[in-house]
Amino acid sequence: GKKAELYGSDYCPECEKQQKLFGQELSTLNVINCGNNKENCPNIRSLPAWYINGSIYYGYKNLTELKEIAEC
């Protein structure tokens, strides 16, 4: 599959929701924990964020949206 990175944090309810969406499949993603104040992700404006095929997409995405993004 294509390489996708999910940027999140333990302090972000939307991030938790995003991870729950994947359930067991979460292990196939590269999940980056940005820390309490995004200290590990200085270039990310807001969480959650996706890095897919060289582009950053902000906000919660459902599976349909992610599929469209990944295949473009």
Side-chain angles (χ1 to χ4, degrees):
K2 295 189 171 62
K3 186 169 161 21
E5 293 181 346
L6 170 60
Y7 294 87
S9 160
D10 296 338
Y11 302 91
C12 159
E14 287 282 279
C15 302
E16 192 180 339
K17 187 178 155 194
Q18 184 74 85
Q19 292 190 26
K20 282 202 176 115
L21 178 68
F22 281 89
Q24 297 299 316
E25 298 294 308
L26 193 62
S27 59
T28 64
L29 294 173
N30 191 5
V31 181
I32 292 99
N33 189 329
C34 293
N36 196 351
N37 296 304
K38 298 201 298 284
E39 64 268 16
N40 302 330
C41 307
N43 300 321
I44 300 292
R45 288 199 309 269
S46 64
L47 300 173
W50 287 93
Y51 182 78
I52 301 171
N53 296 341
S55 299
I56 295 177
Y57 302 86
Y58 291 100
Y60 175 86
K61 302 278 183 265
N62 66 35
L63 293 176
T64 306
E65 291 172 308
L66 288 171
K67 213 169 170 184
E68 284 171 8
I69 291 169
E71 286 170 2
C72 67

